[in-house]
Amino acid sequence: MATTAGVWAAYISHFILAAFGFVLSVAAVPACAQAIHYAHPPDANNGAVIYNSGCIACHGAEGKGAPQSLTVFTRPDSFPDFTACSQTTPEVDSAYKSVIVHGGPNYGFSQIMPAFGQLLTDRQINDVVAYLRTFCHNVHHYPRGELNLPRALVTEKAFPEDELVLSAAANVSGAASNTIDAIHEQTFAGRNQLEVDVPVNHADLNGQGTSGVGDVTVGLKRELFSSLHTGSILSLQGGILLPTGDSRSGFGAGAATFEPFAAFDQLFKTNTWIQFQIGGDLPTNRKNTPNSLFYRTALGQTFARDHGLGRQYSPMVELLARRDFTTGAVTDWDILPQMQVTLSPRQHVRADIGVRAPFTDTQGRKPQIVFYVLWDWADGKFWEGW
């Protein structure tokens, strides 16, 4: 079984690296999708003219929707309010543009939103999107969705978001061991995020399989700074690992552990991006578990067809380091190549798979297959948008 898992890990690792090379080799065909770079700066004033000549009939003069008494349709639940910054600011320009180009039904939205891709030029659509952005005054400073970079398998990003993630990691050799994490993230007041991570572990101990809940993490993230102009976002998070896991089975530390960290993400004009995370684990009882420092970074790029409006592919690689504060301790370094793909046309359901391989202090540390399925529930129900 371990040999079979190792073969699969090799296949997956080779596939990810091959996909990395393939995506880069055809980069002239797909378009970068994280942020749109315009040949001509969008003109919101021209967008207002186009909006007032057609869009206003349904979406209203203020962007909240025309009065029900003046419309001939029943307003669906997904009908947008462009003045609601908490809803619109986290969306990227390409999400606005894709609905205008292809219409609502293409993404599981209402049938009443027609496609304008054949009626308006690309430049006119860009102008309309720029005008739609003016309805939200963003007085509470919500970070722009373009700074919501693809989620890496381990490195936590700076952007606060609303997601449900099911993540799993399994050893590919040696004694069977795997962990499944159910992670719930929810924003509040725009710049803050509450996170709850519930791990379920399985391991073979002395030839017998055992399972149990690990140490549950509760964390609070706060975005401190973000700038779409520079492509930068910085956040701090404080978390606590509750001693809910059985330490005798290796599923918990046996005491509460504090986990503060800082996360900084940078999006470049080439649509290459890099994420940094640095923090520590500070147990309240250090007799069995010492303080430790961790450092993580992810480097990647996102591509998509249909001029950046279609399915997204995000090859990336993580470098992961951890060091205990004990005499004679060494730094454990891992490398984690991976590929994230959007599964739904609405792009609110994504999957990522990779192979985590230690390359220092390898004794007792096994390679792992790591993957997740992510649902951005703020963008609709899981089964919608397919």
Side-chain angles (χ1 to χ4, degrees):
M1 182 67 181
T3 302
T4 302
V7 171
W8 274 106
Y11 280 145
I12 292 171
S13 183
H14 290 153
F15 167 77
I16 293 169
L17 293 175
F20 222 124
F22 172 76
V23 170
L24 293 177
S25 69
V26 298
V29 178
C32 296
Q34 187 63 37
I36 298 176
H37 294 285
Y38 303 96
H40 305 279
D43 184 349
N45 291 327
N46 185 52
V49 174
I50 299 170
Y51 180 92
N52 290 326
S53 66
C55 312
I56 194 173
C58 293
H59 292 286
E62 298 180 352
K64 298 180 179 181
Q68 290 279 11
S69 59
L70 300 180
T71 56
V72 295
F73 59 84
T74 301
R75 189 173 299 175
D77 293 338
S78 60
F79 198 87
D81 178 357
F82 296 116
T83 68
C85 296
S86 60
Q87 300 174 24
T88 59
T89 309
E91 297 297 332
V92 294
D93 281 352
S94 59
Y96 283 86
K97 187 173 181 178
S98 59
V99 174
I100 296 173
V101 171
H102 297 298
N106 195 61
Y107 303 97
F109 291 122
S110 174
Q111 299 285 332
I112 64 176
M113 175 61 193
F116 289 93
Q118 300 299 318
L119 299 176
L120 300 175
T121 67
D122 184 72
R123 191 169 180 177
Q124 286 175 320
I125 293 174
N126 293 337
D127 292 345
V128 171
V129 172
Y131 179 65
L132 294 178
R133 288 291 191 188
T134 66
F135 287 117
C136 162
H137 300 295
N138 204 10
V139 293
H140 298 295
H141 179 64
Y142 297 92
R144 275 287 295 268
E146 281 78 1
L147 301 177
N148 187 2
L149 304 179
R151 182 190 187 102
L153 285 165
V154 178
T155 306
E156 290 218 32
K157 56 186 175 181
F159 195 92
E161 53 199 335
D162 300 301
E163 291 180 346
L164 179 64
V165 184
L166 290 179
S167 175
N171 287 350
V172 301
S173 63
S177 176
N178 61 73
T179 300
I180 299 175
D181 288 82
I183 306 168
H184 177 81
E185 298 169 338
Q186 182 165 353
T187 60
F188 62 96
R191 304 172 64 181
N192 307 293
Q193 173 194 294
L194 177 66
E195 176 180 334
V196 179
D197 181 345
V198 180
V200 178
N201 303 296
H202 174 82
D204 281 346
L205 299 176
N206 301 320
Q208 298 222 349
T210 181
S211 301
V213 174
D215 287 348
V216 173
T217 302
V218 179
L220 181 63
K221 179 185 293 182
R222 169 72 173 181
E223 177 256 317
L224 300 180
F225 166 81
S226 67
S227 169
L228 184 61
H229 176 70
T230 63
S232 309
I233 181 170
L234 171 67
S235 291
L236 295 180
Q237 177 161 323
I240 181 171
L241 282 71
L242 304 174
T244 52
D246 184 358
S247 59
R248 294 170 298 179
S249 301
F251 296 160
T257 300
F258 295 101
E259 187 182 69
F261 68 78
F264 176 79
D265 302 345
Q266 180 64 49
L267 174 64
F268 300 98
K269 290 184 178 180
T270 57
N271 270 302
T272 306
W273 42 262
I274 190 167
Q275 304 174 28
F276 299 98
Q277 181 191 7
I278 186 169
D281 288 317
L282 311 173
T284 55
N285 184 346
R286 293 191 292 274
K287 291 182 179 179
N288 298 320
T289 307
N291 291 339
S292 61
L293 176 73
F294 60 82
Y295 169 77
R296 303 161 183 168
T297 187
L299 173 67
Q301 182 140 9
T302 300
F303 300 95
R305 293 187 179 275
D306 190 19
H307 305 286
L309 306 182
R311 186 185 302 278
Q312 296 182 3
Y313 300 86
S314 299
M316 63 186 104
V317 62
E318 291 183 80
L319 288 176
L320 311 169
R322 183 182 187 87
R323 183 183 180 90
D324 290 339
F325 287 116
T326 57
T327 303
V330 297
T331 302
D332 296 335
W333 283 94
D334 295 359
I335 189 169
L336 179 47
Q338 61 200 266
M339 174 71 78
Q340 187 204 74
V341 180
T342 56
L343 301 182
S344 61
R346 194 181 291 182
Q347 310 206 36
H348 70 315
V349 180
R350 304 179 178 223
D352 192 354
I353 186 168
V355 175
R356 179 172 182 168
F359 63 89
T360 66
D361 190 29
T362 58
Q363 186 173 2
R365 302 199 307 123
K366 305 297 184 182
Q368 291 183 314
I369 296 176
V370 191
F371 70 93
Y372 69 64
V373 175
L374 176 158
W375 166 35
D376 187 342
W377 49 269
D379 282 340
K381 298 180 175 65
F382 183 89
W383 55 87
E384 295 177 336
W386 295 84

